[in-house]
């Protein structure tokens, strides 16, 4: 029954070891997309809207902003290790990344909302994740001039990653066939809207808001250490060479994939039998999905829509 797949969700996150509350969630269904302030959304991200918009940021909060599947978990883990890897080593074995870095706008029945988790974060700074397009970010972040780290990923790989995520995530709309998904992505009928609007909107914001560090997934793949240096410089952090080496190693794909606190295997809403969350972690996997015709069609459309020559993506490295 398309769109009506019932998923009994029990968050079983390491109940004995991690201090993460074990919740029995209500039955949740795959949601429908609807238009919300001009953006395609599902109710799991709009049900708590008033509270989200009234979220009280603090001036030392760090917002991690991304279009879904652009490398959010990767940069979240990097920042968590940079800030708390030394001082709170127990976090590494006890708290899943989605609890260390709450997802502000998520509201799934039976689980703490992202907003409540963010309010309750005991850390300084608080690391907070959002997929919101720039125009929907709660105003308090701007009022407090919070630092924001945005990660963008080339559209082709982003689309492929999102497709597999939607296949395995019981609280996302059905992915359907690849060809339909491909067309839907081009139309921007995705949760959190159009990739094109998202990456361009945040890029434009960077021109006027200096506390925004705009990164690329492909750069992180190419040279993780170099990108960690850049983000440290933006955040005013100076880890020792040894600390940096440790972090760079811990955040390599295979290490994160094997780390239960980073790989989302503790979240039962995701069906790892269909696909793991940490799937491939590569640049260029789109070539295994796009036909030649799809790639040509995509490239033509892309040229017409990505008019800003200062924003360039790499689809291979
Ligand atoms: S989400 O659901 O929006 O928070 O997903 P997000 O974390 O943004 O994106 C998931 C994709 O990022 C890949 N990933 C990594 N790639 C390389 N190295 C590391 N360490 C890493 N961590 C996460 C992850 O595998 C997903 O991409 P795909 O292409 O699907 O593998």
């Amino acid at each position: 029954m398309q769109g009506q797949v019932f998923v009994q969700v029990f968050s079983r996150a390491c109940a004995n070891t991690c201090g993460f509350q074990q919740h029995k969630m209500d039955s949740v269904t795959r949601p429908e997309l609807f238009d919300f302030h001009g953006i395609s959304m599902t109710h799991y991200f709009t049900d708590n809207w008033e509270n989200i918009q009234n979220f009280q940021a603090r001036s030392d909060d760090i917002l991690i902003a991304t279009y879904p599947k652009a490398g959010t978990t990767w940069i979240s883990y990097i920042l968590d290790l940079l800030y708390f890897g030394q001082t709170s080593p127990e976090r590494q074995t006890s708290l899943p990344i989605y609890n260390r870095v709450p997802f502000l706008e998520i509201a799934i029945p039976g689980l703490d909302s992202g907003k409540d988790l963010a309010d309750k974060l005991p850390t300084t700074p608080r690391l907070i994740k959002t997929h919101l397009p720039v125009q929907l970010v709660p105003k308090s972040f701007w009022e407090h001039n919070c630092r924001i780290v945005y990660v963008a990923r080339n559209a082709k790989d982003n689309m492929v990653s999102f497709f597999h995520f939607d296949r395995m995530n019981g609280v996302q709309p059905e992915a359907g066939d690849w060809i339909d998904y491909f067309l839907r992505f081009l139309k921007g009928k995705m949760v959190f809207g159009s990739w094109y609007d998202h990456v361009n909107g945040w890029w434009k914001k960077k021109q006027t808001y200096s506390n925004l560090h705009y990164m690329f997934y492909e750069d992180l793949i190419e040279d993780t250490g170099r990108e960690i240096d850049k983000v440290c410089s933006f955040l005013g952090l100076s880890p020792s060479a040894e600390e940096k080496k440790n972090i760079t190693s811990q955040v390599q794909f295979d290490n994160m994939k094997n780390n239960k606190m980073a790989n989302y295997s503790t979240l039962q809403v995701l069906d790892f039998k269909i696909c793991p969350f940490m799937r491939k972690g590569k640049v260029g996997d789109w070539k295994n999905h796009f036909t030649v015709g799809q790639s040509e069609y995509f490239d033509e459309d892309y040229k017409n829509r990505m008019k800003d020559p200062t924003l360039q993506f790499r689809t291979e490295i």
Side-chain angles (χ1 to χ4, degrees), residues 63-66 134 142 145-151 198-215 231 234-235:
L63 188 65
I64 294 171
T66 56
V134 67
W142 311 119
N145 199 28
C146 293
R147 284 167 301 174
I148 302 178
V149 176
Y150 185 82
V151 185
H198 209 282
V199 298
N200 277 299
W202 279 97
W203 182 254
K204 201 156 170 246
K205 186 74 185 178
K206 184 176 111 77
Q207 320 311 321
T208 55
Y209 186 80
S210 59
N211 263 352
L212 170 56
H213 181 63
Y214 199 109
M215 306 175 70
V231 82
F234 169 69
L235 296 169

Side-chain angles (χ1 to χ4, degrees), residues 19-21 55-58 60-64 76 79-80 83-84 88 91 95-104 112-130 141:
F20 176 64
Q21 297 144 284
F55 179 73
Q56 292 305 303
R58 298 181 196 145
D60 51 10
D61 285 345
I62 297 172
L63 188 65
I64 294 171
S76 298
L79 294 197
D80 187 75
Y83 278 104
F84 311 117
S88 321
R91 275 168 87 78
L95 261 191
I97 190 66
Y98 48 81
N99 277 32
R100 300 180 205 185
V101 183
F103 183 4
L104 184 62
D112 285 335
S113 71
K115 193 262 177 193
D116 285 347
L117 283 175
D119 278 338
K120 284 192 253 166
L121 269 183
T123 59
T124 304
R126 300 186 299 187
L127 304 174
I128 298 168
K129 154 182 168 177
T130 187
F141 286 101

Side-chain angles (χ1 to χ4, degrees), residues 66-72 131 158 161-162 165 172 191-193 195 198:
T66 56
Y67 190 72
K69 313 319 291 180
T72 331
H131 287 319
N158 206 138
S161 182
F162 213 166
F165 186 63
Q172 281 284 105
V191 184
F192 294 101
W195 175 92
H198 209 282

Side-chain angles (χ1 to χ4, degrees), residues 19-33:
F20 176 64
Q21 297 144 284
Q22 195 175 27
H23 291 280
K24 178 180 182 299
M25 294 167 61
D26 300 336
S27 292
V28 291
T29 57
R30 283 192 179 262
E32 299 291 329
L33 279 178

Side-chain angles (χ1 to χ4, degrees), residues 262-276:
N263 66 14
Y264 274 83
S265 59
T266 49
L267 202 60
Q268 200 164 351
V269 67
L270 306 180
D271 188 346
F272 276 56
K273 288 196 289 300
I274 296 176
C275 177

Side-chain angles (χ1 to χ4, degrees), residues 66-74 129 131 153 157 160-162 164-165 217 221 251-254 256 264 276-282 285:
T66 56
Y67 190 72
K69 313 319 291 180
T72 331
T73 313
W74 197 1
K129 154 182 168 177
H131 287 319
R153 185 178 192 181
D157 283 324
V160 168
S161 182
F162 213 166
H164 289 292
F165 186 63
Y217 178 91
I221 290 274
V251 303
Q252 288 311 301
F253 181 77
D254 288 342
M256 281 183 61
Y264 274 83
F277 179 89
M278 302 285 297
R279 194 182 57 88
K280 285 203 178 166
K282 294 216 174 330
D285 186 42

